[in-house]
Amino acid sequence: VIGQTETNTTSPLLGVLGGMGPAATADFFSKLTKMTLANRDQDHVAAVICSFPQIPDRSDAILNNGATPLPAMLHALSVLEGCGVTRIAIPCSTAHFWFDDLKRHTPLPIIHMVDAVACTLRDKGIGGGSVAVLGTTATIRARVYAERLEKWGFDCVAPGDAEQARIMDAIRAVKAGHLRNRQCAEAVRQVAVNLLKGGAQSVILGCTELPLLLPAVAMPDLIDATAALARACLLGTRLDFPEL
Amino acid sequence: VIGQTETNTTSPLLGVLGGMGPAATADFFSKLTKMTLANRDQDHVAAVICSFPQIPDRSDAILNNGATPLPAMLHALSVLEGCGVTRIAIPCSTAHFWFDDLKRHTPLPIIHMVDAVACTLRDKGIGGGSVAVLGTTATIRARVYAERLEKWGFDCVAPGDAEQARIMDAIRAVKAGHLRNRQCAEAVRQVAVNLLKGGAQSVILGCTELPLLLPAVAMPDLIDATAALARACLLGTRLDFPEL
């Protein structure tokens, strides 16, 4: 029960390592709330959200040897631990490049976004085979989705270079606040359509900025990684993740 | 700079005492992000959001002598202080009934939502006179807006009992997750129209659940208290609040 500090460590309290970017974190929080079966405030999940947008750019670190975001992410993790959170979610795909580093620094469970996506794929009846991932160039090159989804039995395909450049433009547009940029949304949609035509069973919006531009409801074959993570947070330990 | 614990106390870090209700807190966070002039993640405001929906019901405490939410709110406040936040926002109008109690327990500035609304009214060219407030019955009876807005030169009017009951139904619908209940939205709109016809210059959506049901963009004479608070948080100390 919140308000009783003594019992706080045993009450579930979700910690969100966020701000990468902040609009995506807000979207995650909003989806978490909307996906909760609740008749009143008190039925909802308690959460502490650290939105620390000053965490250095993940893509820049992976692709250009830019400043590593790890120390800032570890700081956020320690702030969350200090709040007594019992598990962690990170609504940023690219940040999962540092998942193992973060995991080494905390005894708390961190819900891996790619595992959450795998569970959503399975629940849609897609148990393996080819799926496409739209994400930052860093996420694609670092194989954040590809490597982990392979363990779940999926083969990942990604857009070609020209299409990938359009995905990055769209992600940057959202990060700059242009959530209603129709041209970018249409470009993302077209890339997704091409990947589905090419044989992908599903297209994962594998960057948390993308669902802000192109809601997954717009196309039944899209998987919203943000929504998948929110869902995994609500299902909590009832989700049967394999030990990866 | 986040990640450098030593300098954390001097970097601005917004603390959000939230979860009352969680959808309203998510809406506040989303508006805070959307209202920020930013070209990239790092331009955004850093924030820690405590969404503690288990805080006892504020209306029940004010109207029915129910459990006081104050200890749970003070716990949230102490969690935020432990995170090193430098100022506090509370995106719940009814919770402002305990504003003075909270203020007594922290050296941190708490941005008062009603002050934020007064500033928004002024910026719209409404410097005083009659304004209407839609809020929980507890907010209205406890004169949360009326008392403070009087000091800013406004007279507050509220709906009659029958219309107030419809406002409460709408607020409860949002708290139960029915964000797209058209019947409730239309009822709120009609109450607002009646108050404007009755001479109010503006109608304040003085419960953070209401903008979720009836976006202020739908009617130019509505003031969104959530947006007003987000705006005040972004303007920060540049807002010239009188010492109330």
Side-chain angles (χ1 to χ4, degrees):
Chain A
V1 180
I2 288 169
Q4 300 182 344
T5 311
E6 294 74 28
T7 62
N8 225 27
T9 45
T10 51
S11 304
L13 180 60
L14 177 65
V16 181
L17 202 171
M20 305 179 279
T25 301
D27 184 44
F28 168 78
F29 182 29
S30 173
K31 282 171 178 159
L32 185 79
T33 302
K34 284 180 189 155
M35 291 166 91
T36 304
L37 280 173
N39 286 315
R40 46 178 205 142
D41 292 351
Q42 288 73 17
D43 297 337
H44 282 267
V45 171
V48 178
I49 298 155
C50 279
S51 180
F52 287 177
Q54 282 72 36
I55 294 173
D57 189 76
R58 285 68 59 199
S59 290
D60 189 47
I62 294 172
L63 298 177
N64 311 321
N65 251 323
T68 170
L70 184 60
M73 286 199 281
L74 288 175
H75 170 68
L77 194 61
S78 73
V79 169
L80 290 170
E81 285 181 329
C83 294
V85 305
T86 55
R87 59 214 159 97
I88 305 277
I90 309 169
C92 170
S93 294
T94 316
H96 281 70
F97 179 73
W98 292 271
F99 182 81
D100 291 336
D101 296 304
L102 293 167
K103 214 171 152 64
R104 258 196 300 277
H105 281 84
T106 181
L108 296 173
I110 308 178
I111 301 166
H112 198 297
M113 198 174 221
V114 179
D115 293 346
V117 165
C119 286
T120 296
L121 281 165
R122 284 193 173 183
D123 288 350
K124 287 184 79 140
I126 304 169
S130 175
V131 293
V133 180
L134 303 185
T136 62
T137 306
T139 292
I140 305 297
R141 293 231 188 118
R143 305 191 79 243
V144 170
Y145 278 79
E147 198 177 298
R148 203 157 177 113
L149 281 180
E150 273 171 17
K151 297 186 183 169
W152 287 83
F154 296 98
D155 295 315
C156 280
V157 294
D161 287 350
E163 292 196 314
Q164 180 58 34
R166 288 199 271 157
I167 298 296
M168 268 318 291
D169 286 345
I171 292 168
R172 277 194 212 98
V174 174
K175 284 188 182 289
H178 308 301
L179 306 184
R180 284 164 206 269
N181 186 317
R182 283 194 194 175
Q183 207 180 333
C184 284
E186 179 50 32
V188 175
R189 201 191 65 79
Q190 196 52 58
V191 173
V193 166
N194 292 345
L195 287 162
L196 291 166
K197 277 187 191 160
Q201 304 168 89
S202 193
V203 176
I204 300 159
L205 298 176
C207 168
T208 51
E209 266 76 29
L210 292 174
L212 288 161
L213 200 60
L214 186 70
V217 289
M219 276 172 71
D221 293 321
L222 293 182
I223 301 277
D224 176 341
T226 308
L229 183 63
R231 184 171 162 280
C233 291
L234 293 173
L235 294 173
T237 49
R238 276 175 285 163
L239 261 187
D240 193 25
F241 290 126
E243 279 304 321
L244 288 173
Chain B
V1 180
I2 288 165
Q4 300 182 343
T5 311
E6 294 74 26
T7 61
N8 224 26
T9 45
T10 51
S11 304
L13 181 60
L14 177 65
V16 181
L17 203 170
M20 306 179 280
T25 300
D27 184 44
F28 168 78
F29 182 29
S30 173
K31 281 171 180 159
L32 184 80
T33 302
K34 284 181 188 153
M35 291 166 90
T36 304
L37 280 174
N39 286 315
R40 46 177 205 143
D41 292 351
Q42 288 74 18
D43 298 337
H44 282 267
V45 171
V48 178
I49 298 156
C50 278
S51 180
F52 287 177
Q54 282 71 36
I55 294 174
D57 189 76
R58 286 67 61 198
S59 290
D60 189 49
I62 294 173
L63 298 177
N64 311 322
N65 251 324
T68 169
L70 185 60
M73 286 199 281
L74 288 175
H75 171 68
L77 194 60
S78 73
V79 169
L80 290 170
E81 285 182 328
C83 295
V85 305
T86 55
R87 60 214 158 96
I88 305 275
I90 310 171
C92 170
S93 293
T94 315
H96 281 71
F97 179 74
W98 290 273
F99 181 81
D100 291 337
D101 295 304
L102 293 167
K103 213 171 151 67
R104 257 196 300 279
H105 282 84
T106 180
L108 296 174
I110 308 179
I111 302 166
H112 198 297
M113 196 173 223
V114 179
D115 294 346
V117 165
C119 288
T120 296
L121 282 165
R122 285 193 172 182
D123 288 349
K124 287 185 77 141
I126 305 169
S130 175
V131 292
V133 180
L134 303 185
T136 63
T137 305
T139 292
I140 305 298
R141 292 231 187 117
R143 305 191 78 243
V144 170
Y145 278 79
E147 198 177 298
R148 201 154 178 116
L149 281 180
E150 273 171 16
K151 298 185 182 169
W152 286 83
F154 295 99
D155 296 316
C156 280
V157 294
D161 286 351
E163 292 196 316
Q164 180 58 34
R166 288 199 271 158
I167 298 297
M168 269 317 291
D169 287 344
I171 292 168
R172 277 194 212 98
V174 174
K175 284 187 182 290
H178 308 300
L179 305 184
R180 283 164 206 267
N181 186 317
R182 284 195 193 174
Q183 206 180 333
C184 284
E186 180 50 33
V188 174
R189 201 192 65 80
Q190 196 52 57
V191 173
V193 166
N194 293 344
L195 288 161
L196 291 166
K197 279 187 189 157
Q201 302 167 90
S202 194
V203 176
I204 300 159
L205 297 177
C207 168
T208 50
E209 265 77 29
L210 292 174
L212 288 161
L213 200 59
L214 186 70
V217 288
M219 275 172 73
D221 294 321
L222 293 181
I223 302 278
D224 176 340
T226 308
L229 183 63
R231 185 170 162 280
C233 291
L234 293 174
L235 294 172
T237 49
R238 278 175 284 163
L239 262 187
D240 192 25
F241 290 127
E243 279 303 321
L244 288 174

